């Protein structure tokens, strides 16, 4: 159903694309590393649990390419709608986490991370554009195997979906036009404040900016355009996205960070425990072996937050 022409015909970007992961190469690579680790002391069971470093100085990885079903990730355990393929829903309008690049491909921090995770699980990944406002119900009704979309882990969302371990931490931030009278959240009385529908930013604004008019947009780019066009007075949104919007536009300024202490997780269907655990394990591995830092520094300035440092 999700692959029907109807699904593509939405007035949003309607992007459904297939990102081929060289899973075979990845699995073989993983196999080689695991075999090398075991080979270190084949008789010693504990060697299997040894950290990866033990494998790194092995020279004979190539020789260990013998077929070995046991070492391979059993993708059947992941209970994906289609074995070996993970269908990922994402609202692809949230740069630098997810967006459509100049080649028409999904790109961004989340996309790189998800590709890396899929690689390690030995599955192909296919991203499908979705509206953030409906992404949770779509996941819950089996339209996707997972969702990644800079999604803040909240109690409310956990009533309908499950989350992996966190992979990012973020606050909110307030963006206004240059030379605005608004210098921070204390100046918002009577102001029109924009945020994306279904987001924690919208919730925060509604709950806290009680003297403001809160205006909902389908996407953050739409909210920032409205701000640039003087249709609204401010936008509240996730700090990394607000910061990119302000950097990209001469007309916009980020004036205040709002400490909400949010953490992003990847969403899976309730009870998809194998998949959730496998993704969380992959995240831990990606942090541990330095890949997280590589991806992070490609998209963000500054140091990797301590929580995600190896
Ligand atoms: N972190 C916020 C939330 O979970 C905003 C996420 C919006 N993501 C997106 N791709 N539009 O509500």
């Amino acid at each position: 159903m999700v692959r029907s022409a109807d699904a593509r015909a939405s007035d949003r970007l309607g992007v459904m694309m297939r990102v081929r992961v060289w899973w075979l190469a990845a699995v073989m690579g993983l196999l080689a590393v695991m075999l090398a680790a075991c080979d270190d002391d084949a008789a010693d069971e504990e060697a299997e649990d040894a950290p990866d470093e033990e494998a790194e100085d092995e020279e004979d990885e190539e020789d260990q390419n013998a077929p070995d079903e046991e070492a391979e990730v059993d993708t059947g355990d992941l209970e994906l709608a289609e074995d070996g393929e993970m269908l990922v829903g994402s609202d692809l309008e949230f740069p630098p986490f997810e967006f459509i690049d100049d080649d028409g491909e999904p790109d961004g921090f989340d996309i790189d991370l998800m590709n890396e995770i899929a690689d390690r699980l030995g599955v192909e990944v296919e991203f499908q554009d979705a509206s953030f406002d409906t992404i949770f119900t779509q996941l819950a009704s089996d339209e996707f195997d997972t969702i990644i979309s800079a999604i803040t882990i909240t109690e409310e969302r956990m009533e309908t979906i499950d989350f992996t371990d966190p992979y990012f931490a973020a606050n909110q931030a307030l963006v206004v036009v240059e030379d605005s009278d608004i210098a921070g959240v204390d100046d918002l009385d009577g102001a029109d404040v924009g945020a994306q529908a279904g987001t924690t930013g919208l919730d925060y604004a509604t709950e806290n900016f009680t003297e403001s008019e809160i205006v909902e947009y389908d996407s953050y780019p739409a909210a920032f355009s409205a701000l640039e066009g003087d249709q609204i007075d401010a936008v509240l949104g996730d700090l990394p996205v607000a910061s990119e919007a302000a950097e990209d536009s001469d007309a916009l300024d980020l004036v205040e960070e709002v400490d909400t202490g949010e953490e992003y997780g990847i969403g899976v269907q309730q009870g998809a425990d194998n998949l959730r655990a496998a993704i969380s394990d992959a995240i831990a591995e990606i942090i541990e072996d330095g890949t997280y830092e590589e991806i992070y520094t490609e998209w963000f300035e500054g140091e990797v937050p301590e929580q995600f440092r190896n």
Side-chain angles (χ1 to χ4, degrees):
M1 26 55 213
V2 284
R3 288 184 190 77
S4 71
D6 285 5
R8 297 199 205 184
S10 72
D11 59 353
R12 297 173 50 75
L13 282 168
V15 172
M16 186 175 84
M17 44 196 57
R18 170 174 294 257
V19 177
R20 290 231 163 245
V21 173
W22 296 105
W23 63 272
L24 185 62
V27 167
M28 293 314 276
L30 187 67
L31 200 66
V33 170
M34 291 173 80
L35 284 168
C38 297
D39 182 61
D40 208 31
D41 186 353
D44 185 356
E45 290 294 329
E46 282 177 67
E48 290 190 24
D49 295 321
D52 284 354
E53 290 92 88
E54 296 215 3
E56 278 170 20
D57 48 22
E58 290 287 327
E59 292 297 324
D60 56 350
E61 287 176 19
E62 308 275 304
D63 303 338
Q64 305 294 326
N65 263 344
D68 181 351
E69 306 288 276
E70 283 161 27
E72 198 168 316
V73 182
D74 189 348
T75 58
D77 289 347
L78 301 176
E79 288 163 35
L80 302 165
E82 201 177 306
D83 189 21
E85 180 174 307
M86 182 159 64
L87 185 58
V88 184
S90 183
D91 172 27
L92 298 167
E93 282 192 283
F94 203 58
F97 291 99
E98 45 264 331
F99 58 96
I100 302 293
D101 68 18
D102 294 340
D103 300 327
E105 303 283 339
D107 207 348
F109 176 86
D110 282 354
I111 305 300
D112 284 353
L113 182 68
M114 206 56 172
N115 277 324
E116 184 65 35
I117 290 167
D119 215 3
R120 293 178 191 227
L121 300 187
V123 299
E124 288 185 29
V125 61
E126 179 173 324
F127 292 100
Q128 184 166 340
D129 196 23
S131 163
F132 193 77
D133 207 19
T134 58
I135 207 167
F136 303 100
T137 45
Q138 286 180 277
L139 174 65
S141 63
D142 280 6
E143 281 187 46
F144 309 122
D145 294 307
T146 62
I147 52 177
I148 191 163
S149 232
I151 301 166
T152 303
I153 300 169
T154 68
E155 295 282 332
E156 195 192 333
R157 290 168 178 170
M158 279 162 67
E159 285 169 17
T160 55
I161 66 162
D162 288 345
F163 282 102
T164 63
D165 290 344
Y167 69 86
F168 202 90
N171 287 324
Q172 295 287 313
L174 191 71
V175 178
V176 299
V177 285
E178 289 228 318
D179 304 325
S180 166
D181 294 337
I182 299 168
V185 294
D186 292 339
D187 301 329
L188 290 176
D189 287 9
D192 293 339
V193 182
Q196 184 182 13
T199 63
T200 50
L202 184 77
D203 285 348
Y204 186 93
T206 310
E207 276 157 35
N208 295 278
F209 307 154
T210 50
E211 303 303 313
S212 309
E213 172 101 18
I214 309 303
V215 190
E216 274 186 46
Y217 291 89
D218 277 353
S219 72
Y220 268 104
F224 289 119
S225 300
L227 179 59
E228 278 188 298
D230 277 332
Q231 288 156 264
I232 51 174
D233 305 303
V235 169
L236 185 77
D238 294 33
L239 174 66
V241 173
S243 146
E244 173 145 321
E247 263 171 42
D248 287 353
S249 165
D250 292 340
L252 302 182
D253 270 344
L254 195 161
V255 285
E256 188 172 352
E257 180 171 341
V258 181
D259 189 0
T260 51
E262 295 169 57
E263 288 185 326
Y264 300 166
I266 294 168
V268 300
Q269 290 161 13
Q270 273 188 342
D273 294 339
N274 289 345
L275 182 59
R276 188 176 45 75
I279 295 175
S280 291
D281 287 352
I283 292 171
E285 220 180 87
I286 286 166
I287 292 171
E288 201 42 51
D289 71 11
T291 309
Y292 185 95
E293 187 176 5
E294 271 171 39
I295 300 176
Y296 185 94
T297 51
E298 201 173 304
W299 295 104
F300 304 103
E301 279 163 18
E303 297 232 313
V304 173
E306 200 174 341
Q307 188 184 353
F308 305 107
R309 243 177 259 162
N310 57 3

